[in-house]
């Protein structure tokens, strides 16, 4: 950090001067990103963990019953505890810093994205020179060089690229994701690791999941003990499905600038293919956005609609969520505090959901989200499907995608008929989709399904197939 | 060059520009913040201000970096002024006058109060932050902070259905629902529909709006009956009517000025406009004059309507009726601004853009935001600490729950007392913990006695505040760092509403509370 000079207000009104000074500070800050003159790697210097030791080596009135003051807990943190951070973005960067300065040294981070310039207002482990590089890699590099002894291992991959053998190794998993689908997948993965004995979950197979989310000035942090406390799917209603504008509005009755933008994106682009055959719209390509913007403006002027701007166009096309450093800092801090508590038993863990907003003053609300008895992810209870035998397979598909408690994206439905595995409908492979499409118009009876039939449904929202039981209503 | 830089900045700050706009960003980039003490908490706050582009910052810190600082602080070497804040207060208190905001972190009570007094007199906003074990605390000290753009979460629409202005009335009259073809009928904005049926209702109910649940339900039934029927007498699918029915609850509320805004209008600053009156109050007064002279007791029209099922032409026409009225009202308010300034000997060019330039501000008060104006006034630290004016009621009523965050406030006041008496914070060294617990208890009791607070503080909290030995764990510093930075941004951009005035965060329970002390 550099101490800025005290400038008087007159000179600050001069834009050019200000710009020069700002660039100078930026250059100095860049140099200090990897600090010169820091202590030699690896060794712990005197007093390094003093702040933490107060909580680990002393007894206290608010510790958990199994807490034992002493040096073992710090040793566990420093040498043994393995923690996984999912996401190296707004929350991820903060999480890595927080965990590294809380004694966690064996940290893995997963993120498939590369750094974009719009990340730099909050993802502080990255600099403009890093744009284009993988987030996980740069984040790990920064923390490893700034926090001596800390070992962050990056994985520039999707979470789905790993299986149980990878996730099983961690003591705690912290998520800083920006997608509900990914959260649900992670949730499902940890549930799949659970062992049940006589219907009771084996505690040693539980990996605590700490999940954080932010949007503008709002955020939430939650602690999930898979198989024991409310999971992501238990509270799916807290993530309402994204509202899209009705097609008839977009196609023939636009009223808002957003409608004009969607018209260009959804209808005009596929028709005109302005950048070549089969070239799909890339929200990160400024030329593509510019094209959509111009087309949207044309449409808007046709209908006397005002308000189409480049910024709005980009926001609609990319489904941009506004973001600032402060909210991410708050939520990641809350998550890291919970990770520390879980790893050390130094305090009672959050039970189990924290909501935060600082639009008007500062507001937090803490409550215990309840498990859903028949949760499709964690209840172990086969899901009930109530349909008439004359209902079409299409109706079942619609239910799976539209029900607020399931919200599946592109479910693949299979069943066992006459001892053989049969795919009733699958969307994600074009050839199979074509072959099974006629089944959608057939009734469940026509497809040979019986009352009580088990259907296995696979979907991107879960790593394991979900079992459903068909109940004919008529 | 400059243009390329501007474009890069727009991209870099895109995600936050969508929250506070270009003018908010400009305010941020023109600000100069002072941080006192670059501890972990301090540098976290600074990080969260540098990232969004704060114009300048100065660090005042007399301490030398120690081994434990490097343990909890992500930003290792700081280039601080090297003078302790106390020395500056001794020798050059006016040093602090130049800042948009001063943020004081981990300040001992004496320094905090001294600095507070200097800044209160100089009218420089002061944000006090402290991380103490698993507790975080913020105190905002600002005489008067006005907010034009509060960006409320769930604002009610300003539709004027209870008292349609002339142009709206004329527009509604131009519709004849009974003679419309189905296509037009089904694509008429629900605002028109409610207005039309309200006229019917008036003629049968002595020109009184539906007031209670029963009447609103009867009104909804009236709307249902208005849905077109097909040859078989079954109701057609008319989504616009569904919308009308859904909106009956809120659309028929009486248009009136909120008490918050009424309070602003009755302030002294609004009554007595002088050549020194700040922009906010001149403009608020102009709106008040509009309300009394031109608006029939109502604010200028906001000018926006929500999206609704309608064909493009009908919707745009209706939207323009509201927009044009808003522009008209704004121009009348603008004239009031000009005449107010004239009355105190200032010549201001006409029109809002020039008014903004004249006031050197990034906002104007118009129908768009008049309903959401906010003023935050925080008491001084002197008032909070004085025995005569301590907020006893707030403290004792919160302590009805002995685990309320208020107990953490009392503990922080107590450890400050401890420090004054013993020159160290309780329990810093292991050997001190045991005896400091009883010493701290003495401090707690003397604090309560001195202020006449008949509350009791559980021993557990006294024990905990010794146990933590004034540690500043990083995750708590980071939480507070995020909170404090955003409050600083609110003060600087004058958007969104700052807290008033004491915020306590309990990381043990992940709960928080705000008290007005």
């Amino acid at each position: 950090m550099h101490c800025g000079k005290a400038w008087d207000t007159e000179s600050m009104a001069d834009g050019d001067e200000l710009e020069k000074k700002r660039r100078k500070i930026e250059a100095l800050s860049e140099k200090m990103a990897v600090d010169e003159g820091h202590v030699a790697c690896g060794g712990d210097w005197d007093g390094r963990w003093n702040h933490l030791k107060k909580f680990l080596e002393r007894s206290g009135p608010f510790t958990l019953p199994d807490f034992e003051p002493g040096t073992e807990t710090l040793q566990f943190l420093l040498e043994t505890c393995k923690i996984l951070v999912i996401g190296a973005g707004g929350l991820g960067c903060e999480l890595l810093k927080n965990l590294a300065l809380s004694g966690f040294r064996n940290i893995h981070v997963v993120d498939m994205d590369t750094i974009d310039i719009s990340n730099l207002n909050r993802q502080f482990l990255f600099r403009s020179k890093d744009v284009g590089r993988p987030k996980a890699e740069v984040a790990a590099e920064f923390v490893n060089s700034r926090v001596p002894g800390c070992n962050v291992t990056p994985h520039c991959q999707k979470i789905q690229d790993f299986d149980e053998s990878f996730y099983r190794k961690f003591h705690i998993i912290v998520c800083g994701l920006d997608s509900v689908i990914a959260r649900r997948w992670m949730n499902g993965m940890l549930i799949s690791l659970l062992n049940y004995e006589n219907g009771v979950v084996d505690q040693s197979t539980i990996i605590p999941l700490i999940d954080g989310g932010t949007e503008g000035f709002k955020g939430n942090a939650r602690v999930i003990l898979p198989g024991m406390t409310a999971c992501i799917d238990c509270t799916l209603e807290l993530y309402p499905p994204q509202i899209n504008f009705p097609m008839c509005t977009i196609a023939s009755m636009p009223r808002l600038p957003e409608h004009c933008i969607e018209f260009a994106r959804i209808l005009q682009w596929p028709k005109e293919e302005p950048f070549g055959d089969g070239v799909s719209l890339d929200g990160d390509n400024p030329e593509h956005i510019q094209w959509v913007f111009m087309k949207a403006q044309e449409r808007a002027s046709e209908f006397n609609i005002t308000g189409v701007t480049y910024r709005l166009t980009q926001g609609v096309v990319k489904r941009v969520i506004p973001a600032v450093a402060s909210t991410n800092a708050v939520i990641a801090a809350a998550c890291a505090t919970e990770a520390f508590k879980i790893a050390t038993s130094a305090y009672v863990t959050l039970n189990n959901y924290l909501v935060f907003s600082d639009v008007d003053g500062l507001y937090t609300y803490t409550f215990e989200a309840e498990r859903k008895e028949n949760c499709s992810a964690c209840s172990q209870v086969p899901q009930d499907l109530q349909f008439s035998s004359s209902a079409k397979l299409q109706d079942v598909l619609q239910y799976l995608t539209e029900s607020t408690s399931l919200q599946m994206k592109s479910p693949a439905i299979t069943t066992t008929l006459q001892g053989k595995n049969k795919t009733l409908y699958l969307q994600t492979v074009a050839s199979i989709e074509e072959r099974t499409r006629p089944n959608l118009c057939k009734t469940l009876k026509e497809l040979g399904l019986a009352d009580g039939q088990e259907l296995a449904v696979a979907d991107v929202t879960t790593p394991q197939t979900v079992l459903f039981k068909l109940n004919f209503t008529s | 060059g400059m243009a390329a830089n501007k474009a890069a900045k727009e991209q870099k700050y895109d995600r936050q520009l969508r929250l506070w706009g270009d003018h908010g960003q400009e305010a941020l980039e023109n600000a100069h913040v002072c941080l006192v003490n670059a501890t972990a908490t301090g540098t976290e706050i600074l990080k969260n201000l540098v990232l969004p582009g704060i114009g300048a910052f100065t660090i005042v810190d007399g301490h030398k970096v120690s081994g434990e600082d490097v343990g909890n602080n992500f930003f290792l070497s700081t280039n601080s002024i090297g003078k302790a804040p106390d020395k500056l207060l001794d020798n050059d208190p006016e040093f602090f006058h130049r800042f948009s905001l001063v943020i004081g972190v981990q300040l001992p009570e004496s320094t905090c109060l001294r600095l507070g007094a200097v800044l209160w007199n100089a009218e420089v906003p002061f944000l006090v932050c402290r991380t103490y074990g698993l507790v975080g605390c913020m105190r905002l000290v600002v005489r008067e902070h006005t907010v034009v753009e509060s960006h409320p979460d769930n604002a009610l629409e300003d539709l004027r259905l209870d008292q349609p202005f002339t142009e709206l009335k004329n527009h509604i009259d131009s519709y004849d629902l009974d003679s419309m073809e189905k296509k037009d009928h089904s694509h008429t904005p629900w605002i028109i529909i409610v207005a039309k049926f309200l006229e019917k209702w008036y003629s049968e109910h002595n020109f009184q709006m539906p007031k209670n649940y029963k009447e609103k339900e009867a009104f909804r039934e009236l709307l249902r009956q208005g849905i077109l029927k097909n040859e078989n007498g079954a109701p057609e699918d008319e989504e616009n009517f569904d919308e009308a029915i859904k909106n009956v609850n809120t659309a028929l509320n009486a248009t009136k000025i909120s008490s918050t805004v009424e309070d602003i209008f009755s302030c002294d600053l609004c009554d007595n406009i002088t050549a020194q009156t700040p922009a906010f109050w001149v403009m608020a007064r102009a709106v008040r004059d509009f309300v009394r002279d031109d608006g029939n007791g109502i604010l200028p029209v906001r000018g926006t309507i929500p999206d609704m099922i309608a064909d493009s032409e009908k919707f745009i026409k209706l939207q323009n009726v509201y927009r044009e009225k808003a522009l008209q009202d704004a121009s009348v308010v603008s004239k009031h601004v000009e005449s107010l300034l004239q009355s105190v000997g200032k010549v201001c060019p006409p029109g809002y853009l020039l008014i903004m330039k004249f006031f050197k501000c990034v906002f104007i008060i118009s129908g768009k935001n008049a309903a959401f104006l906010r003023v935050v006034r925080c008491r001084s630290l002197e008032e909070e600490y004085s025995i005569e004016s301590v907020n006893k009621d707030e403290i004792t009523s919160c302590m009805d729950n002995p685990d309320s965050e208020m107990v953490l406030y009392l503990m922080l006041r107590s450890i400050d007392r401890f420090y004054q008496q013993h020159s160290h914070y309780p329990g810093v060294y292991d050997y001190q913990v045991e005896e400091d617990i009883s010493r701290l208890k003495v401090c707690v009791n003397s604090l309560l006695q001195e202020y006449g607070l008949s509350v009791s503080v559980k021993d557990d909290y006294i024990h905990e505040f010794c146990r933590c030995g004034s540690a500043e764990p990083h995750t708590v510093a980071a939480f507070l760092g995020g909170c404090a930075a955003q409050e600083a941004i609110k003060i600087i951009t004058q958007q969104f509403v700052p807290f008033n005035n004491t915020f306590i965060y309990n990381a043990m329970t992940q709960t928080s509370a705000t008290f007005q002390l």
Side-chain angles (χ1 to χ4, degrees), chain B residues 13 38 66 305 416 493:
Chain B
Y13 295 137
S66 73
I305 56 171
D416 272 340
T493 59

Side-chain angles (χ1 to χ4, degrees), chain A residues 1-7 12 15-16 18-19 22-23 25-26 32 35-36 38-39 45-52 54-63 67 94 97-98 101-102 116-125 142-143 146-147 216-218 252-256 259 303-306 311-312 314-315 318 320-326 329-330 333-338 341 346-348 350 354 356-364 366, chain B residues 2 5 8-22 29-32 43-44 46-48 50-53 55-59 67-81 98 133-134 138 150-151 153 187 307-312 315-316 323 374 427-430 433 460-461 463-464 466-469 471-476 478-479 482-483 485-487 490 496-499 503 505 507-512 514:
Chain A
M1 286 293 176
H2 183 79
C3 162
K5 296 211 186 93
W7 300 316
M12 278 168 70
D16 260 342
L18 197 59
E19 194 48 47
R22 198 174 306 120
R23 264 182 267 162
I25 291 184
E26 238 176 59
M32 286 168 144
D35 193 48
E36 317 106 336
H38 68 73
V39 182
W45 53 87
D46 212 34
R48 180 177 191 181
W49 303 113
N50 278 358
H51 292 279
L52 296 179
K54 305 264 179 0
F55 306 102
L56 302 177
E57 296 178 356
R58 299 173 175 190
S59 62
F62 299 116
T63 60
F67 174 78
E94 293 280 339
K97 158 185 70 75
N98 294 342
L101 291 178
S102 300
D116 178 68
I117 186 172
S118 66
N119 300 149
L120 301 180
N121 78 327
R122 64 202 185 279
Q123 299 173 26
F124 68 97
L125 299 176
F142 197 121
V143 176
R146 176 54 63 92
V147 186
F217 297 120
K218 303 192 175 157
S252 49
M253 254 182 284
R255 296 175 297 268
L256 304 178
H259 300 157
F303 289 88
N304 291 314
I305 297 170
T306 59
R311 189 179 286 166
L312 183 68
Q314 192 181 48
K318 292 176 72 169
V320 166
I321 297 175
V324 285
S326 56
V330 168
C335 289
T337 296
E338 292 309 307
K341 288 180 188 175
Y347 290 93
V348 174
L350 167 66
L354 165 71
F356 172 87
S357 167
D358 60 3
V359 172
D360 187 343
L362 299 121
Y363 169 80
T364 64
T366 312
Chain B
M2 278 291 281
N5 263 323
K9 244 176 54 180
E10 278 228 16
Q11 282 183 285
K12 178 172 166 184
Y13 295 137
D14 178 81
R15 300 299 185 267
Q16 68 199 37
L17 293 174
R18 290 167 192 277
L19 292 166
W20 54 65
D22 297 315
E29 292 177 11
N30 285 330
H32 186 176
T43 54
E44 285 297 308
L46 214 42
K47 156 176 81 55
N48 296 327
V50 168
L51 282 168
F57 60 88
T58 297
I59 304 175
E68 75 177 20
D69 292 331
V70 178
N72 73 345
N73 194 322
F74 200 69
F75 304 97
L76 262 177
S77 68
T78 60
N79 231 335
S80 75
I81 277 196
R98 76 199 72 194
L134 286 231
M138 290 197 297
S150 56
H151 302 292
D153 256 337
H187 291 98
D307 190 27
M308 58 193 75
I309 303 282
D311 65 52
S312 312
F315 179 83
I316 299 298
R323 270 188 190 168
R374 298 280 293 271
V428 174
Y429 295 102
D430 287 349
V433 180
D460 278 349
Y461 292 104
H463 183 179
E464 180 63 26
C466 275
R467 171 203 204 217
C468 70
E472 192 184 1
H474 184 82
T475 59
V476 185
F479 188 101
C483 294
Q486 186 51 33
E487 296 309 301
K490 289 178 188 177
F496 306 96
V497 185
F499 72 110
F503 172 77
Y505 165 62
M508 296 183 277
T509 55
Q510 298 285 19
T511 55
S512 74
T514 301

Side-chain angles (χ1 to χ4, degrees), chain A residues 372-386 399-400 406 452-457 465-471:
Chain A
K372 204 148 76 147
E373 259 181 57
N374 58 344
C375 174
S376 58
C378 76
S379 71
Q380 294 252 295
V381 168
Q383 300 297 292
D384 210 26
L385 277 181
Q386 305 256 13
Y399 172 73
L400 292 173
L406 291 174
Q453 182 108 19
E454 259 188 18
L455 302 178
V457 180
T465 50
V466 184
L467 281 179
F468 288 87
K469 203 156 171 210
L470 206 49
N471 277 320

Side-chain angles (χ1 to χ4, degrees), chain B residues 21-95:
Chain B
D22 297 315
H23 59 293
Q25 187 64 31
E26 195 183 324
L28 205 50
E29 292 177 11
N30 285 330
H32 186 176
V33 164
C34 177
L35 170 70
V36 180
N37 288 335
T39 68
T41 306
T43 54
E44 285 297 308
I45 298 172
L46 214 42
K47 156 176 81 55
N48 296 327
L49 289 173
V50 168
L51 282 168
I54 194 88
F57 60 88
T58 297
I59 304 175
V60 173
D61 189 338
H63 303 95
K64 290 218 193 304
V65 175
S66 73
E68 75 177 20
D69 292 331
V70 178
N72 73 345
N73 194 322
F74 200 69
F75 304 97
L76 262 177
S77 68
T78 60
N79 231 335
S80 75
I81 277 196
K83 283 210 183 117
D86 281 305
K87 291 254 163 30
L88 275 171
L89 286 167
D90 287 337
N91 302 324
D92 182 23
E94 291 191 16
F95 167 83

Side-chain angles (χ1 to χ4, degrees), chain A residues 187-201:
Chain A
N187 184 62
M189 167 53 71
L190 295 191
I191 290 168
S192 75
L193 298 178
L194 299 172
N195 269 339
Y196 286 84
E197 277 163 41
N198 303 323
V200 176
V201 67

Side-chain angles (χ1 to χ4, degrees), chain A residues 185-252:
Chain A
W185 193 92
M186 219 33 244
N187 184 62
M189 167 53 71
L190 295 191
I191 290 168
S192 75
L193 298 178
L194 299 172
N195 269 339
Y196 286 84
E197 277 163 41
N198 303 323
V200 176
V201 67
D202 173 4
Q203 303 243 336
S204 70
T205 59
I206 297 179
I207 299 178
L209 173 65
I210 303 170
D211 180 69
T214 62
E215 195 172 310
F217 297 120
K218 303 192 175 157
N220 60 75
R222 63 193 297 185
V223 175
I224 296 170
L225 300 174
M228 284 188 65
T229 64
C231 79
I232 301 281
D233 282 52
C234 289
T235 58
L236 211 48
E237 302 81 47
L238 291 175
Y239 306 98
Q242 209 169 48
I243 311 241
N244 291 314
F245 302 114
M247 271 315 289
C248 56
T249 301
I250 296 174
S252 49

